[in-house]
Amino acid sequence: MPSEAAPATVPLPRTRRSAEQLDSGDPLRGMRERFTLPEGVVYLDGNSLGALPAATPARVAELVTREWGQGLIRSWNDAGWYDLPRGLGDRIAPLVGAAPGQVVVCDSTSVNLFKVLTAALRLRPDRPVIVSELGSFPTDLYLTEGVGSYRRRLLGRDGDTLEELIGADTAVVLLSHVDYRTGRLQDMAAVTELAHRHGALVVWDLCHSAGALPVRLDDCGADFAVGCTYKYLNGGPGSPAFLYAATRHQQDAEQPLTGWFGHAEPFAFEPGYRPAAGIGRFLTGTPPLLSFAGLQAALDIWAEVDLDALRAKSLSLSSLFLELTEPLGLESVTPAEPEQRGSQVSLRHPQAYQVMQALIARGVIGDFRAPDVLRFGFTPLYLSHADVWDAAEALREVLGSGSWRDPRFAAPAGAVT
């Protein structure tokens, strides 16, 4: 565990000028202008909530004032509302390496995870085991408890490797592509191949990889996946999630939430359920159109993004931050190896909550994960290398001065930290 304070005299290994020089050759540097960011803020929490695209307010206002206000119910057809879940899904598909017709936008990540996890289990009815990871985001673990009477094996509790846990009795392997605490990146192709070798299906949680790095669901032979749109994709708070089901599974997949919007003919108003063909069978209820508008504006930006350039910049930003903070004596729980890293860096400090509050007071917004993790997300579309330098300098000053000890940065009594 690191000491509580690093010496204030520790020098940074680069200058801010050198960081600015890196920015001058950045092919994505013009993307920052497409976002609205507060003056004087270095935003390193886009892996929890992405920044506001500059075009979002106008797009939401257009839906409210023109499509809803003037078009009224006619806009289901005239403005294309009815087709948005599939249409937006096809716009997200290239970002996750999927061919058209395999992604749909709807509901929340938790709801979609319940759908695909249940559908996958029904495709393997004679297998009683779900394999997941102890360190998964809690929703992923909670939902494995709610899908039926399956035994769970958890990586990190019941074994140290997936090879130990996946066997002939495994129905589904549920994993996060990028660990939300540590930023560790799973080898999607290798894990999927391992599961398939044993006859199991794989469900991938893409919440911390979609929009952060290239994802290749089809190339890796993935079965199902879910992800959110309010983090790296910048769809806005509460924006709808997305769901991927490989074409080969769609005909036989049975999802449990058989609502009217997933019916083969929603407006036939039949008393019995017939699933829609293809990916549409994973729809459930009426889509949240106001939230869809924010996502539309964000995806207009993503249509112009080169994902390989995105990944290169992401690794450059996080590598620079690791280099700049290494002299501070904090343990990094994020892999140093670029190929094993998502788009975040997590550092340990025994008083991480207070340290993060002190950083936020200086305009550097990251976040805290219990019990002792400082988490910094690197969103390449609107972050610069100079931002990273400034954030590292602020962290050095907070630790060196001990300003985090100020009582105003202490957790309020009874607060969940």
Side-chain angles (χ1 to χ4, degrees):
M1 188 65 69
S3 60
E4 290 187 347
T9 55
V10 171
L12 290 172
R14 290 179 185 254
T15 65
R16 195 178 194 279
R17 176 61 182 157
S18 67
E20 292 171 345
Q21 289 172 344
L22 288 174
D23 292 327
S24 67
D26 173 18
L28 297 175
R29 64 185 180 277
M31 288 293 176
R32 188 182 182 113
E33 300 172 1
R34 308 286 290 274
F35 294 89
T36 299
L37 290 159
E39 192 70 29
V41 166
V42 177
Y43 191 55
L44 302 181
D45 208 3
N47 52 337
S48 282
L49 175 64
L52 172 68
T56 294
R59 173 63 193 119
V60 174
E62 179 186 29
L63 188 144
V64 171
T65 59
R66 184 178 65 80
E67 296 178 13
W68 177 18
Q70 299 300 315
L72 298 170
I73 200 168
R74 294 170 295 182
S75 287
W76 280 103
N77 293 313
D78 295 348
W81 288 355
Y82 181 78
D83 297 321
L84 278 178
R86 293 173 181 83
L88 291 176
D90 281 343
R91 295 184 68 185
I92 287 175
L95 304 179
V96 294
Q102 298 181 105
V103 180
V104 69
V105 172
C106 57
D107 302 313
S108 68
T109 305
S110 298
V111 171
N112 286 339
L113 185 54
F114 181 75
K115 293 178 192 176
V116 299
L117 186 56
T118 303
L121 291 168
R122 288 176 176 179
L123 290 171
R124 295 292 184 270
D126 299 326
R127 292 171 171 241
V129 172
I130 299 171
V131 172
S132 192
E133 190 171 14
L134 186 61
S136 294
F137 191 76
T139 276
D140 295 26
L141 295 176
Y142 301 159
L143 282 167
T144 62
E145 297 177 3
V147 294
S149 56
Y150 291 86
R151 298 201 310 272
R152 290 193 305 171
R153 295 193 193 117
L154 297 180
L155 185 67
R157 185 193 72 181
D158 302 314
D160 296 323
T161 67
L162 288 171
E163 286 83 354
E164 296 175 64
L165 302 181
I166 301 173
D169 59 356
T170 304
V172 176
V173 178
L174 166 62
L175 293 173
S176 294
H177 192 202
V178 173
D179 186 287
Y180 82 104
R181 271 201 189 93
T182 68
R184 179 177 293 277
L185 174 66
Q186 291 272 11
D187 186 333
M188 179 180 286
V191 171
T192 302
E193 190 278 330
L194 171 65
H196 287 176
R197 198 188 320 149
H198 291 279
L201 300 175
V202 184
V203 175
W204 287 102
D205 181 335
L206 305 180
C207 285
H208 287 86
S209 53
L213 50 94
V215 179
R216 297 182 172 88
L217 290 172
D218 285 353
D219 289 348
C220 293
D223 300 297
F224 298 94
V226 298
C228 62
T229 63
Y230 54 80
K231 301 183 191 298
Y232 293 99
L233 294 181
N234 309 292
S239 60
F242 65 88
L243 176 159
Y244 163 91
T247 301
R248 65 185 180 277
H249 294 310
Q250 290 176 11
Q251 179 63 35
D252 297 322
E254 297 179 4
Q255 68 105 339
L257 302 180
T258 49
W260 81 291
F261 226 72
H263 192 278
E265 296 182 79
F267 294 97
F269 303 119
E270 298 173 356
Y273 184 78
R274 290 186 293 120
I279 193 67
R281 68 183 51 211
F282 285 93
L283 295 172
T284 299
T286 306
L289 272 302
L290 295 180
S291 293
F292 274 26
L295 180 57
Q296 284 178 297
L299 292 178
D300 287 344
I301 298 173
W302 282 102
E304 304 174 24
V305 175
D306 181 320
L307 293 181
D308 290 329
L310 181 90
R311 178 62 168 162
K313 183 177 178 183
S314 164
L315 292 176
S316 181
L317 294 172
S318 57
S319 294
L320 176 61
F321 190 74
L322 283 167
E323 177 186 340
L324 294 173
T325 57
E326 192 276 333
L328 304 182
L330 303 178
E331 177 193 355
S332 172
V333 296
T334 301
E337 299 82 3
E339 67 277 6
Q340 297 180 24
R341 192 162 72 234
S343 197
Q344 70 182 60
V345 170
S346 296
L347 306 175
R348 281 203 170 110
H349 188 282
Q351 303 299 328
Y353 179 84
Q354 290 93 321
V355 171
M356 184 55 69
Q357 296 309 304
L359 279 173
I360 292 172
R362 288 172 173 257
V364 176
I365 302 177
D367 67 12
F368 160 79
R369 288 293 178 264
D372 60 358
V373 171
L374 299 158
R375 195 178 73 152
F376 304 91
F378 297 94
T379 46
L381 296 190
Y382 50 81
L383 278 179
S384 67
H385 293 84
D387 290 330
V388 171
W389 196 96
D390 291 342
E393 171 70 358
L395 180 58
R396 185 182 74 93
E397 292 174 355
V398 164
L399 296 178
S401 67
S403 63
W404 58 267
R405 294 187 176 90
D406 189 309
R408 66 193 170 111
F409 300 136
V416 178
T417 61

